Amino acid sequence: MTYFKKIIFVIFFCCSFNLIGQQNIFKQYTKKDGLPSNTINTIAQDAIGYLWIATNKGVTKFDGVRFQQINNDETNTILIHNDKKYFGLNNGLYIKTENKDTLLTSKKVSKLFLQKNTLYVGTTEGVFYLNKNYLQPITINTQLDFTTINDIIYFNNNFYISSNKGFWKINDLKKPTEIKKLLTNHIIDSKIYNKKIIVASKSNQLIIIENDTVSKKINTIPDISSIDKIDNEFWITSISNGIEVFNLPNFTFKQKINKYNTIATNAIKSIFYSEKIKIINTLNKGFYLTDYQTNKISKKPQIHIEKIYINNKLKSVKKESNKPVILAPNENNILLNFKTVDILSPQNISYRYQFNNGFSEWNTNNQVQFAALKPGKYTLKIQSKINDNESEIEQLSFIIEMPFYKSTYFILGLIAATLLLSFLILHHHLKNVKRNNDKRIW
């Protein structure tokens, strides 16, 4: 019987090892690679492709090669909307734009949620919303107004709030009139799936809510930190027990990811994923990156004009369809930065450009500079490629205006004024000649 048990154990071990081996290879990034800290709270990605990484020692921006420190304040959450980046700090909301940074002080910010262009801010003392340039507190009830807000979602025309004092349904956050407490548990996180709400409780459970009623409870790992639906899987992270993965739609156990099989720690804070990558954020070992594609069809790279400097000054340029940008005659020294970001293969990115003539050779330079340009119309075309996969061509047209003294109207005016002056001088001269002749006759 003992011999039989050993055989079963060996078979089970081999199957488990094979299952782990089928997982994607994770690449680890830590302080040694340039991170400000090995404690990663969350990650967001902007339209260009940069990763904005929130740590306990500030936010850093990552393009697959280089980490660029943005601030030094512990950051709990990040939300990116258009050209604005919102950071949830321990002392308020930090708003970063291209030309300005703003800090709006408040209690510790734990959640940022955007709904219909209104930014809702969950803190350790209730919910606020961004009202122009200040944080407006929202009065809901005596429980929620002084509790920690862990998550906010919007489903079926209602807001749902996860807090350490239960799970709440509210019809309107700005002016709530219908408030219902659905659960008394300490709720960590929530997700919408298959017309249901899945919440994670402090008591190591997934709770499935359907029509505002609990339909199922699933026991899972202790110390849950976040939950996410990734394709046909449901991922649960823990600050002490790694990751547990369930198959959907039935929530059947699939696997564990922890320090015993895949990564070097069980202290997991959250998961980030996009169409191409999946990242495990840890509390003590940096983050782990792997490739992940929901759509295996290779998409064209995206190239973006990042910054434009005119005479060494950063200029905000709004592209409006195919209309050229109009520059003054003295705005003729131009430097442009453009970028394609591929976190997985940054070393395989190359660029080329065309400036009124033929394209340059492919190279790794993502900056062009033009000095002392003469007045006229110019068109810059840029393109990138990853290996042999080329992006669409992006172009920017601009017109450097002629100095007023060289303009056609000025020259015509000058000619007209010269002719007029010549006529007046001639007319005056003829009058003098006639006057002198008249005197001689008399």
Side-chain angles (χ1 to χ4, degrees), residues 376-403:
K377 183 175 181 180
Y378 298 90
T379 298
L380 172 69
K381 296 181 179 180
I382 55 174
Q383 189 178 25
S384 67
K385 69 175 181 177
I386 302 173
N387 295 322
D388 294 324
N389 188 13
E390 297 181 1
S391 72
E392 299 290 346
I393 294 174
E394 179 78 6
Q395 75 174 41
L396 174 69
S397 295
F398 55 93
I399 295 174
I400 298 177
E401 293 183 318
M402 190 78 67

PDB file of all heavy atoms in Angstrom, residues 376-403:
ATOM      1  N   GLY A 376       7.648  78.766 -44.640  1.00  0.00           N
ATOM      2  CA  GLY A 376       7.069  77.853 -45.610  1.00  0.00           C
ATOM      3  C   GLY A 376       6.294  76.750 -44.939  1.00  0.00           C
ATOM      4  O   GLY A 376       6.154  76.711 -43.707  1.00  0.00           O
ATOM      5  N   LYS A 377       5.769  75.836 -45.723  1.00  0.00           N
ATOM      6  CA  LYS A 377       4.990  74.710 -45.212  1.00  0.00           C
ATOM      7  C   LYS A 377       5.860  73.459 -45.193  1.00  0.00           C
ATOM      8  O   LYS A 377       6.562  73.160 -46.145  1.00  0.00           O
ATOM      9  CB  LYS A 377       3.754  74.473 -46.084  1.00  0.00           C
ATOM     10  CG  LYS A 377       2.862  73.344 -45.556  1.00  0.00           C
ATOM     11  CD  LYS A 377       1.582  73.192 -46.364  1.00  0.00           C
ATOM     12  CE  LYS A 377       0.705  72.076 -45.800  1.00  0.00           C
ATOM     13  NZ  LYS A 377      -0.555  71.904 -46.566  1.00  0.00           N
ATOM     14  N   TYR A 378       5.775  72.733 -44.070  1.00  0.00           N
ATOM     15  CA  TYR A 378       6.566  71.520 -43.886  1.00  0.00           C
ATOM     16  C   TYR A 378       5.661  70.378 -43.430  1.00  0.00           C
ATOM     17  O   TYR A 378       4.661  70.593 -42.740  1.00  0.00           O
ATOM     18  CB  TYR A 378       7.658  71.741 -42.840  1.00  0.00           C
ATOM     19  CG  TYR A 378       8.664  72.804 -43.203  1.00  0.00           C
ATOM     20  CD1 TYR A 378       8.452  74.144 -42.840  1.00  0.00           C
ATOM     21  CD2 TYR A 378       9.826  72.495 -43.902  1.00  0.00           C
ATOM     22  CE1 TYR A 378       9.373  75.126 -43.167  1.00  0.00           C
ATOM     23  CE2 TYR A 378      10.754  73.472 -44.234  1.00  0.00           C
ATOM     24  CZ  TYR A 378      10.516  74.785 -43.861  1.00  0.00           C
ATOM     25  OH  TYR A 378      11.428  75.754 -44.190  1.00  0.00           O
ATOM     26  N   THR A 379       6.034  69.176 -43.808  1.00  0.00           N
ATOM     27  CA  THR A 379       5.322  67.985 -43.359  1.00  0.00           C
ATOM     28  C   THR A 379       6.340  66.962 -42.867  1.00  0.00           C
ATOM     29  O   THR A 379       7.243  66.564 -43.601  1.00  0.00           O
ATOM     30  CB  THR A 379       4.480  67.366 -44.487  1.00  0.00           C
ATOM     31  OG1 THR A 379       3.490  68.311 -44.904  1.00  0.00           O
ATOM     32  CG2 THR A 379       3.777  66.102 -43.998  1.00  0.00           C
ATOM     33  N   LEU A 380       6.174  66.564 -41.607  1.00  0.00           N
ATOM     34  CA  LEU A 380       7.022  65.528 -41.022  1.00  0.00           C
ATOM     35  C   LEU A 380       6.215  64.239 -40.933  1.00  0.00           C
ATOM     36  O   LEU A 380       5.110  64.222 -40.385  1.00  0.00           O
ATOM     37  CB  LEU A 380       7.492  65.947 -39.635  1.00  0.00           C
ATOM     38  CG  LEU A 380       8.234  64.868 -38.840  1.00  0.00           C
ATOM     39  CD1 LEU A 380       9.595  64.576 -39.468  1.00  0.00           C
ATOM     40  CD2 LEU A 380       8.393  65.275 -37.377  1.00  0.00           C
ATOM     41  N   LYS A 381       6.768  63.165 -41.458  1.00  0.00           N
ATOM     42  CA  LYS A 381       6.143  61.850 -41.349  1.00  0.00           C
ATOM     43  C   LYS A 381       7.056  60.951 -40.531  1.00  0.00           C
ATOM     44  O   LYS A 381       8.271  60.916 -40.759  1.00  0.00           O
ATOM     45  CB  LYS A 381       5.910  61.245 -42.737  1.00  0.00           C
ATOM     46  CG  LYS A 381       4.929  62.031 -43.592  1.00  0.00           C
ATOM     47  CD  LYS A 381       4.721  61.375 -44.949  1.00  0.00           C
ATOM     48  CE  LYS A 381       3.720  62.159 -45.792  1.00  0.00           C
ATOM     49  NZ  LYS A 381       3.505  61.534 -47.124  1.00  0.00           N
ATOM     50  N   ILE A 382       6.463  60.230 -39.575  1.00  0.00           N
ATOM     51  CA  ILE A 382       7.247  59.329 -38.738  1.00  0.00           C
ATOM     52  C   ILE A 382       6.609  57.947 -38.747  1.00  0.00           C
ATOM     53  O   ILE A 382       5.391  57.805 -38.933  1.00  0.00           O
ATOM     54  CB  ILE A 382       7.363  59.847 -37.297  1.00  0.00           C
ATOM     55  CG1 ILE A 382       5.961  60.100 -36.710  1.00  0.00           C
ATOM     56  CG2 ILE A 382       8.228  61.084 -37.225  1.00  0.00           C
ATOM     57  CD1 ILE A 382       5.988  60.486 -35.247  1.00  0.00           C
ATOM     58  N   GLN A 383       7.432  56.936 -38.544  1.00  0.00           N
ATOM     59  CA  GLN A 383       6.956  55.561 -38.544  1.00  0.00           C
ATOM     60  C   GLN A 383       7.867  54.726 -37.647  1.00  0.00           C
ATOM     61  O   GLN A 383       9.057  55.005 -37.517  1.00  0.00           O
ATOM     62  CB  GLN A 383       6.950  54.996 -39.972  1.00  0.00           C
ATOM     63  CG  GLN A 383       6.273  53.641 -40.116  1.00  0.00           C
ATOM     64  CD  GLN A 383       6.242  53.158 -41.554  1.00  0.00           C
ATOM     65  OE1 GLN A 383       7.072  53.543 -42.361  1.00  0.00           O
ATOM     66  NE2 GLN A 383       5.272  52.307 -41.891  1.00  0.00           N
ATOM     67  N   SER A 384       7.292  53.703 -37.028  1.00  0.00           N
ATOM     68  CA  SER A 384       8.082  52.792 -36.210  1.00  0.00           C
ATOM     69  C   SER A 384       7.806  51.366 -36.663  1.00  0.00           C
ATOM     70  O   SER A 384       6.856  51.096 -37.403  1.00  0.00           O
ATOM     71  CB  SER A 384       7.727  52.940 -34.729  1.00  0.00           C
ATOM     72  OG  SER A 384       6.396  52.499 -34.498  1.00  0.00           O
ATOM     73  N   LYS A 385       8.630  50.460 -36.201  1.00  0.00           N
ATOM     74  CA  LYS A 385       8.370  49.043 -36.441  1.00  0.00           C
ATOM     75  C   LYS A 385       8.961  48.234 -35.297  1.00  0.00           C
ATOM     76  O   LYS A 385       9.940  48.626 -34.662  1.00  0.00           O
ATOM     77  CB  LYS A 385       8.942  48.580 -37.775  1.00  0.00           C
ATOM     78  CG  LYS A 385      10.455  48.536 -37.874  1.00  0.00           C
ATOM     79  CD  LYS A 385      10.894  47.942 -39.210  1.00  0.00           C
ATOM     80  CE  LYS A 385      12.423  47.874 -39.325  1.00  0.00           C
ATOM     81  NZ  LYS A 385      12.854  47.242 -40.589  1.00  0.00           N
ATOM     82  N   ILE A 386       8.310  47.121 -35.024  1.00  0.00           N
ATOM     83  CA  ILE A 386       8.819  46.148 -34.062  1.00  0.00           C
ATOM     84  C   ILE A 386       9.140  44.894 -34.855  1.00  0.00           C
ATOM     85  O   ILE A 386       8.230  44.273 -35.422  1.00  0.00           O
ATOM     86  CB  ILE A 386       7.788  45.849 -32.958  1.00  0.00           C
ATOM     87  CG1 ILE A 386       7.420  47.149 -32.234  1.00  0.00           C
ATOM     88  CG2 ILE A 386       8.320  44.809 -31.979  1.00  0.00           C
ATOM     89  CD1 ILE A 386       6.292  47.001 -31.238  1.00  0.00           C
ATOM     90  N   ASN A 387      10.408  44.569 -34.936  1.00  0.00           N
ATOM     91  CA  ASN A 387      10.882  43.544 -35.875  1.00  0.00           C
ATOM     92  C   ASN A 387      10.481  43.980 -37.280  1.00  0.00           C
ATOM     93  O   ASN A 387      10.899  45.012 -37.746  1.00  0.00           O
ATOM     94  CB  ASN A 387      10.357  42.165 -35.486  1.00  0.00           C
ATOM     95  CG  ASN A 387      10.905  41.703 -34.142  1.00  0.00           C
ATOM     96  OD1 ASN A 387      12.072  41.947 -33.831  1.00  0.00           O
ATOM     97  ND2 ASN A 387      10.078  41.060 -33.335  1.00  0.00           N
ATOM     98  N   ASP A 388       9.603  43.236 -37.953  1.00  0.00           N
ATOM     99  CA  ASP A 388       9.174  43.622 -39.304  1.00  0.00           C
ATOM    100  C   ASP A 388       7.745  44.144 -39.348  1.00  0.00           C
ATOM    101  O   ASP A 388       7.192  44.385 -40.420  1.00  0.00           O
ATOM    102  CB  ASP A 388       9.301  42.419 -40.251  1.00  0.00           C
ATOM    103  CG  ASP A 388      10.750  42.002 -40.458  1.00  0.00           C
ATOM    104  OD1 ASP A 388      11.609  42.900 -40.498  1.00  0.00           O
ATOM    105  OD2 ASP A 388      11.016  40.788 -40.568  1.00  0.00           O
ATOM    106  N   ASN A 389       7.150  44.331 -38.169  1.00  0.00           N
ATOM    107  CA  ASN A 389       5.767  44.788 -38.080  1.00  0.00           C
ATOM    108  C   ASN A 389       5.743  46.311 -37.997  1.00  0.00           C
ATOM    109  O   ASN A 389       6.107  46.895 -36.975  1.00  0.00           O
ATOM    110  CB  ASN A 389       5.094  44.170 -36.852  1.00  0.00           C
ATOM    111  CG  ASN A 389       3.604  44.445 -36.815  1.00  0.00           C
ATOM    112  OD1 ASN A 389       3.010  44.889 -37.793  1.00  0.00           O
ATOM    113  ND2 ASN A 389       2.991  44.177 -35.684  1.00  0.00           N
ATOM    114  N   GLU A 390       5.353  46.963 -39.101  1.00  0.00           N
ATOM    115  CA  GLU A 390       5.423  48.422 -39.192  1.00  0.00           C
ATOM    116  C   GLU A 390       4.133  49.094 -38.737  1.00  0.00           C
ATOM    117  O   GLU A 390       3.037  48.592 -38.968  1.00  0.00           O
ATOM    118  CB  GLU A 390       5.735  48.834 -40.634  1.00  0.00           C
ATOM    119  CG  GLU A 390       7.079  48.348 -41.141  1.00  0.00           C
ATOM    120  CD  GLU A 390       7.372  48.803 -42.557  1.00  0.00           C
ATOM    121  OE1 GLU A 390       6.517  49.518 -43.134  1.00  0.00           O
ATOM    122  OE2 GLU A 390       8.432  48.450 -43.107  1.00  0.00           O
ATOM    123  N   SER A 391       4.304  50.241 -38.114  1.00  0.00           N
ATOM    124  CA  SER A 391       3.155  51.050 -37.704  1.00  0.00           C
ATOM    125  C   SER A 391       2.590  51.809 -38.895  1.00  0.00           C
ATOM    126  O   SER A 391       3.207  51.886 -39.956  1.00  0.00           O
ATOM    127  CB  SER A 391       3.582  52.054 -36.628  1.00  0.00           C
ATOM    128  OG  SER A 391       4.375  53.083 -37.216  1.00  0.00           O
ATOM    129  N   GLU A 392       1.426  52.382 -38.706  1.00  0.00           N
ATOM    130  CA  GLU A 392       0.917  53.341 -39.676  1.00  0.00           C
ATOM    131  C   GLU A 392       1.807  54.584 -39.631  1.00  0.00           C
ATOM    132  O   GLU A 392       2.490  54.845 -38.635  1.00  0.00           O
ATOM    133  CB  GLU A 392      -0.529  53.731 -39.348  1.00  0.00           C
ATOM    134  CG  GLU A 392      -1.522  52.579 -39.361  1.00  0.00           C
ATOM    135  CD  GLU A 392      -1.780  52.064 -40.770  1.00  0.00           C
ATOM    136  OE1 GLU A 392      -1.404  52.752 -41.743  1.00  0.00           O
ATOM    137  OE2 GLU A 392      -2.352  50.963 -40.899  1.00  0.00           O
ATOM    138  N   ILE A 393       1.798  55.350 -40.695  1.00  0.00           N
ATOM    139  CA  ILE A 393       2.604  56.576 -40.740  1.00  0.00           C
ATOM    140  C   ILE A 393       1.839  57.706 -40.055  1.00  0.00           C
ATOM    141  O   ILE A 393       0.691  57.984 -40.381  1.00  0.00           O
ATOM    142  CB  ILE A 393       2.950  56.952 -42.190  1.00  0.00           C
ATOM    143  CG1 ILE A 393       3.868  55.884 -42.807  1.00  0.00           C
ATOM    144  CG2 ILE A 393       3.621  58.320 -42.244  1.00  0.00           C
ATOM    145  CD1 ILE A 393       4.151  56.089 -44.283  1.00  0.00           C
ATOM    146  N   GLU A 394       2.482  58.316 -39.085  1.00  0.00           N
ATOM    147  CA  GLU A 394       1.924  59.482 -38.402  1.00  0.00           C
ATOM    148  C   GLU A 394       2.563  60.732 -38.998  1.00  0.00           C
ATOM    149  O   GLU A 394       3.761  60.742 -39.291  1.00  0.00           O
ATOM    150  CB  GLU A 394       2.228  59.402 -36.905  1.00  0.00           C
ATOM    151  CG  GLU A 394       1.720  60.565 -36.087  1.00  0.00           C
ATOM    152  CD  GLU A 394       0.238  60.504 -35.798  1.00  0.00           C
ATOM    153  OE1 GLU A 394      -0.391  59.479 -36.142  1.00  0.00           O
ATOM    154  OE2 GLU A 394      -0.298  61.473 -35.244  1.00  0.00           O
ATOM    155  N   GLN A 395       1.778  61.765 -39.206  1.00  0.00           N
ATOM    156  CA  GLN A 395       2.362  62.966 -39.795  1.00  0.00           C
ATOM    157  C   GLN A 395       1.903  64.229 -39.085  1.00  0.00           C
ATOM    158  O   GLN A 395       0.821  64.272 -38.492  1.00  0.00           O
ATOM    159  CB  GLN A 395       2.072  63.046 -41.288  1.00  0.00           C
ATOM    160  CG  GLN A 395       0.651  63.433 -41.667  1.00  0.00           C
ATOM    161  CD  GLN A 395       0.509  63.620 -43.179  1.00  0.00           C
ATOM    162  OE1 GLN A 395       1.055  62.861 -43.973  1.00  0.00           O
ATOM    163  NE2 GLN A 395      -0.223  64.647 -43.573  1.00  0.00           N
ATOM    164  N   LEU A 396       2.758  65.209 -39.140  1.00  0.00           N
ATOM    165  CA  LEU A 396       2.477  66.516 -38.569  1.00  0.00           C
ATOM    166  C   LEU A 396       2.883  67.572 -39.587  1.00  0.00           C
ATOM    167  O   LEU A 396       4.021  67.600 -40.046  1.00  0.00           O
ATOM    168  CB  LEU A 396       3.264  66.716 -37.270  1.00  0.00           C
ATOM    169  CG  LEU A 396       3.158  68.107 -36.636  1.00  0.00           C
ATOM    170  CD1 LEU A 396       1.761  68.328 -36.086  1.00  0.00           C
ATOM    171  CD2 LEU A 396       4.201  68.278 -35.531  1.00  0.00           C
ATOM    172  N   SER A 397       1.939  68.437 -39.955  1.00  0.00           N
ATOM    173  CA  SER A 397       2.221  69.532 -40.883  1.00  0.00           C
ATOM    174  C   SER A 397       2.244  70.847 -40.128  1.00  0.00           C
ATOM    175  O   SER A 397       1.452  71.060 -39.194  1.00  0.00           O
ATOM    176  CB  SER A 397       1.157  69.590 -41.988  1.00  0.00           C
ATOM    177  OG  SER A 397       1.201  68.425 -42.789  1.00  0.00           O
ATOM    178  N   PHE A 398       3.155  71.711 -40.493  1.00  0.00           N
ATOM    179  CA  PHE A 398       3.194  73.022 -39.864  1.00  0.00           C
ATOM    180  C   PHE A 398       3.660  74.063 -40.872  1.00  0.00           C
ATOM    181  O   PHE A 398       4.361  73.757 -41.848  1.00  0.00           O
ATOM    182  CB  PHE A 398       4.085  73.030 -38.619  1.00  0.00           C
ATOM    183  CG  PHE A 398       5.496  72.557 -38.844  1.00  0.00           C
ATOM    184  CD1 PHE A 398       6.507  73.458 -39.134  1.00  0.00           C
ATOM    185  CD2 PHE A 398       5.814  71.211 -38.742  1.00  0.00           C
ATOM    186  CE1 PHE A 398       7.800  73.035 -39.330  1.00  0.00           C
ATOM    187  CE2 PHE A 398       7.112  70.770 -38.932  1.00  0.00           C
ATOM    188  CZ  PHE A 398       8.118  71.681 -39.230  1.00  0.00           C
ATOM    189  N   ILE A 399       3.223  75.284 -40.625  1.00  0.00           N
ATOM    190  CA  ILE A 399       3.575  76.413 -41.492  1.00  0.00           C
ATOM    191  C   ILE A 399       4.297  77.452 -40.660  1.00  0.00           C
ATOM    192  O   ILE A 399       3.783  77.909 -39.633  1.00  0.00           O
ATOM    193  CB  ILE A 399       2.323  77.033 -42.136  1.00  0.00           C
ATOM    194  CG1 ILE A 399       1.654  76.028 -43.083  1.00  0.00           C
ATOM    195  CG2 ILE A 399       2.687  78.314 -42.886  1.00  0.00           C
ATOM    196  CD1 ILE A 399       0.338  76.521 -43.652  1.00  0.00           C
ATOM    197  N   ILE A 400       5.496  77.793 -41.086  1.00  0.00           N
ATOM    198  CA  ILE A 400       6.205  78.905 -40.476  1.00  0.00           C
ATOM    199  C   ILE A 400       5.874  80.147 -41.302  1.00  0.00           C
ATOM    200  O   ILE A 400       6.184  80.212 -42.490  1.00  0.00           O
ATOM    201  CB  ILE A 400       7.724  78.651 -40.443  1.00  0.00           C
ATOM    202  CG1 ILE A 400       8.025  77.404 -39.597  1.00  0.00           C
ATOM    203  CG2 ILE A 400       8.461  79.864 -39.883  1.00  0.00           C
ATOM    204  CD1 ILE A 400       9.481  77.016 -39.565  1.00  0.00           C
ATOM    205  N   GLU A 401       5.221  81.060 -40.665  1.00  0.00           N
ATOM    206  CA  GLU A 401       4.739  82.234 -41.393  1.00  0.00           C
ATOM    207  C   GLU A 401       5.895  83.116 -41.866  1.00  0.00           C
ATOM    208  O   GLU A 401       6.965  83.163 -41.249  1.00  0.00           O
ATOM    209  CB  GLU A 401       3.791  83.048 -40.511  1.00  0.00           C
ATOM    210  CG  GLU A 401       2.488  82.322 -40.204  1.00  0.00           C
ATOM    211  CD  GLU A 401       1.553  83.181 -39.396  1.00  0.00           C
ATOM    212  OE1 GLU A 401       2.026  83.861 -38.465  1.00  0.00           O
ATOM    213  OE2 GLU A 401       0.344  83.180 -39.702  1.00  0.00           O
ATOM    214  N   MET A 402       5.645  83.804 -42.953  1.00  0.00           N
ATOM    215  CA  MET A 402       6.611  84.748 -43.498  1.00  0.00           C
ATOM    216  C   MET A 402       6.682  85.972 -42.582  1.00  0.00           C
ATOM    217  O   MET A 402       5.652  86.419 -42.065  1.00  0.00           O
ATOM    218  CB  MET A 402       6.163  85.182 -44.898  1.00  0.00           C
ATOM    219  CG  MET A 402       7.196  85.966 -45.664  1.00  0.00           C
ATOM    220  SD  MET A 402       8.477  84.914 -46.356  1.00  0.00           S
ATOM    221  CE  MET A 402       7.534  83.987 -47.591  1.00  0.00           C
ATOM    222  N   PRO A 403       7.878  86.533 -42.330  1.00  0.00           N
ATOM    223  CA  PRO A 403       7.935  87.797 -41.578  1.00  0.00           C
ATOM    224  C   PRO A 403       7.089  88.846 -42.287  1.00  0.00           C
ATOM    225  O   PRO A 403       6.990  88.850 -43.524  1.00  0.00           O
ATOM    226  CB  PRO A 403       9.428  88.160 -41.620  1.00  0.00           C
ATOM    227  CG  PRO A 403      10.141  86.868 -41.858  1.00  0.00           C
ATOM    228  CD  PRO A 403       9.213  86.044 -42.704  1.00  0.00           C
TER     229      PRO A 403
END
